[in-house]
Amino acid sequence: MPINDSGQREIGVGLIGLGVVGGGVARALIERRDYFARQVGASIVVRRAAVRDANKQRTVDLPPGVISTSVDDVLTDPSIDIVVEVIGGEEPAGAYIRAAIAAGKHVVTANKELIAKSGPELLAEAHARGLDIMFEASVGGGIPLIAPLRRDLLANRITSIRAIINGTTNYILTSMAREGAVAEALRKQGIEPATRGGYADALADAQQLGYAEPDPTNDVEGYDAAFKLAIMASLGFRTRVHPSQIHTEGITRLTSRDFQYAHELGYVIKLLAIAEVIDSGIIARVAPAFLPQDEPLAKVDGVYNAVQVVGDLTGTVLFQGRGAGADPTSSAVVADLLDLAHAIVLGNRERKYWGPEGEIPVLGLDALETRYYIRVGVTDRPGVLAQIAQLLGAHGVSIAAVNQKEADADARTAERVIMTHRARERDVQAAIGEIASLSTVGQVSAFLRVEG
Ligand code: HSE
């Protein structure tokens, strides 16, 4: 390990990517260098930063010669001990990380997709060489989640992880809920609200504010949350949950009416990422859901994230904070860097905290039992409700409450909002299939789980 002029040992860092997160990491390493050196017993130095465009304006000043347009400059530099990958996406990031490991370098990454899909294999490659891959920044930005799941909760048998883990969608849903509440208040005063308050308006606002990307698919379809849930569930349950095993629904079909009815019934709508251990396996899902207003996660609004973990020794533990952005995410990357630097200084290298204990089966939603909210457009005439109730009853689904909404006397149409008691998903789905084919039913407009 090189020694600098002040007699301190130096640990070299190479960045792949110098965008929002990479720039934040470089800035923190430069501005807080002395503090970090005191904490880990070595000076951490950015030796190289690989970028696509060397002429781009940066938010951080790096010494001449550090910025390069060649990733090989990072991967082949013998003075680099730790490579930080912050470009995201499966490839070429995966190839770069493998090359870094092959070159004997530890890795810190913020890459949720890659870790969710290939984390165990990449860690095995690293551990076989006495190296480590750290990925705190891959889930929940600045909220400590990976270290608690990997290490601090290790003594527990974790039975449930419930999370709001995507800031973009939480911002959109919070906006829709607020517009829905305003609309409801106006209607109560006999005033028909303006048409704002739908999904498209809320998404457009989030894009204007930089909370949603120009192509929001990854966030609004729930994929980003599913990657993060796969990582948390794999670590927490000490098994392997692949993103493809997670039932994933997005938020694009929600309407302001669902928010209005949720509010009236004492619920909020959140995109929830839930993984639970039941007797026969794990059920994992990302979907918009009704949540009682008094649940802690129901109060997590805007771009904030929160994760509720239940351990058999700890009981419920709640983590909450900013799940994205340059500063929170760089906090997580730098924490991993400091941890690795300290381990290098101490001479002990990889920490084997992924630790699967065997494969727990991941079950389909058929095995789920919960309560359900169903909104159905119907012909408003005698006997329609009885038909719907009969089909639900025939499948063993018991109705807890039913309301008639938005009746249009001229068109003789109405909306029925049905809340069920606890029921099996396979039974509810079978009943809904039959309800949708009734001649008196226009469509089943919404179907949401009640997760309370
Ligand atoms: N769009 C993501 C979010 C960024 O809103 O949570 C962090 O993964």
Side-chain angles (χ1 to χ4, degrees):
M1 202 180 300
I3 308 287
N4 68 13
D5 295 344
S6 329
Q8 277 175 322
R9 290 182 284 187
E10 282 192 356
I11 290 177
V13 169
L15 299 171
I16 301 179
L18 194 59
V20 173
V21 177
V25 170
R27 210 168 39 244
L29 289 178
I30 291 166
E31 289 172 1
R32 300 175 189 202
R33 185 168 174 163
D34 293 344
Y35 163 58
F36 293 157
R38 288 194 301 277
Q39 289 299 315
V40 301
S43 180
I44 300 173
V45 183
V46 178
R47 300 217 192 274
R48 289 280 185 174
V51 299
R52 256 201 307 243
D53 176 3
N55 299 318
K56 194 171 159 186
Q57 192 78 19
R58 305 280 163 196
T59 55
V60 59
D61 278 332
L62 291 170
V66 169
I67 291 187
S68 161
T69 52
S70 163
V71 174
D72 273 350
D73 284 346
V74 173
L75 298 174
T76 58
D77 185 335
S79 72
I80 290 176
D81 303 284
I82 308 171
V83 168
V84 176
E85 179 275 306
V86 277
I87 55 172
E90 236 185 320
E91 292 300 340
Y96 295 157
I97 288 177
R98 288 190 173 90
I101 296 294
K105 302 178 191 313
H106 295 284
V107 170
V108 176
T109 177
N111 195 321
K112 65 210 122 193
E113 181 172 3
L114 185 65
I115 295 297
K117 291 180 178 170
S118 309
E121 291 77 21
L122 289 169
L123 275 164
E125 279 177 47
H127 290 170
R129 290 170 182 268
L131 298 165
D132 212 342
I133 301 175
M134 306 282 279
F135 47 93
E136 182 62 64
S138 64
V139 184
I143 313 170
L145 288 167
I146 302 302
L149 287 168
R150 269 181 121 179
R151 188 190 58 213
D152 306 322
L153 295 170
L154 192 56
N156 287 262
R157 194 177 152 266
I158 291 172
T159 50
S160 145
I161 298 170
R162 295 160 67 89
I164 292 171
I165 201 65
N166 182 272
T168 304
T169 46
N170 203 41
Y171 182 85
I172 292 172
L173 297 184
T174 304
S175 305
M176 291 178 77
R178 286 184 183 146
E179 295 279 354
V182 171
E184 188 195 341
L186 288 171
R187 280 204 187 94
K188 277 190 180 145
Q189 293 176 36
I191 304 166
E192 193 47 33
T195 50
R196 274 194 66 79
Y199 166 75
D201 291 327
L203 170 63
D205 289 348
Q207 285 171 319
Q208 287 284 335
L209 291 165
Y211 295 145
E213 294 185 29
D215 176 359
T217 311
N218 225 23
D219 292 315
V220 300
E221 295 297 351
Y223 308 142
D224 175 87
F227 294 144
K228 293 167 178 169
L229 183 65
I231 296 173
M232 291 193 291
S234 298
L235 293 176
F237 302 147
R238 312 219 171 269
T239 183
R240 176 83 186 259
V241 178
H242 192 275
S244 61
Q245 295 172 302
I246 297 177
H247 172 90
T248 304
E249 293 171 41
I251 62 166
T252 57
R253 278 172 299 173
L254 293 170
T255 69
S256 47
R257 277 205 186 148
D258 296 311
F259 287 86
Q260 190 190 322
Y261 299 155
H263 186 71
E264 284 173 28
L265 293 162
Y267 294 88
V268 297
I269 298 177
K270 294 289 184 191
L271 183 72
L272 292 182
I274 301 179
E276 297 165 315
V277 179
I278 62 167
D279 286 344
S280 45
I282 292 168
I283 302 187
R285 56 200 182 274
V286 170
F290 269 38
L291 193 61
Q293 281 167 356
D294 56 0
E295 287 257 347
L297 290 183
K299 300 179 176 77
V300 177
D301 284 333
V303 292
Y304 277 81
N305 287 187
V307 180
Q308 221 176 24
V309 180
V310 181
D312 60 345
L313 302 178
T314 55
T316 302
V317 185
L318 182 66
F319 302 86
Q320 185 170 348
R322 288 188 176 275
D327 288 341
T329 310
S330 63
S331 161
V333 171
V334 173
D336 281 348
L337 266 175
L338 298 181
D339 200 12
L340 278 174
H342 193 222
I344 293 171
V345 168
L346 293 176
N348 59 357
R349 294 167 68 92
E350 89 281 14
R351 272 70 49 83
K352 293 186 171 147
Y353 284 138
W354 182 280
E357 287 281 319
E359 298 262 323
I360 308 176
V362 183
L363 310 170
L365 281 201
D366 268 4
L368 182 67
E369 252 191 60
T370 187
R371 293 181 296 136
Y372 297 86
Y373 155 89
I374 306 162
R375 177 159 65 85
V376 190
V378 296
T379 309
D380 194 8
R381 66 168 197 240
V384 175
L385 181 58
Q387 284 180 310
I388 294 173
Q390 197 275 328
L391 287 176
L392 286 166
H395 288 279
V397 180
S398 172
I399 295 173
V402 61
N403 284 316
Q404 174 147 315
K405 297 283 188 187
E406 306 293 332
D408 180 335
D410 295 336
R412 298 192 67 200
T413 58
E415 269 196 335
R416 301 277 181 188
V417 171
I418 298 160
M419 299 291 284
T420 75
H421 283 298
R422 217 173 151 77
R424 286 190 306 186
E425 173 116 359
R426 79 165 73 91
D427 297 331
V428 178
Q429 293 285 9
I432 282 180
E434 289 172 23
I435 290 168
S437 58
L438 286 174
S439 61
T440 47
V441 167
Q443 60 172 338
V444 177
S445 316
F447 165 80
L448 296 175
R449 295 171 194 88
V450 180
E451 306 278 16

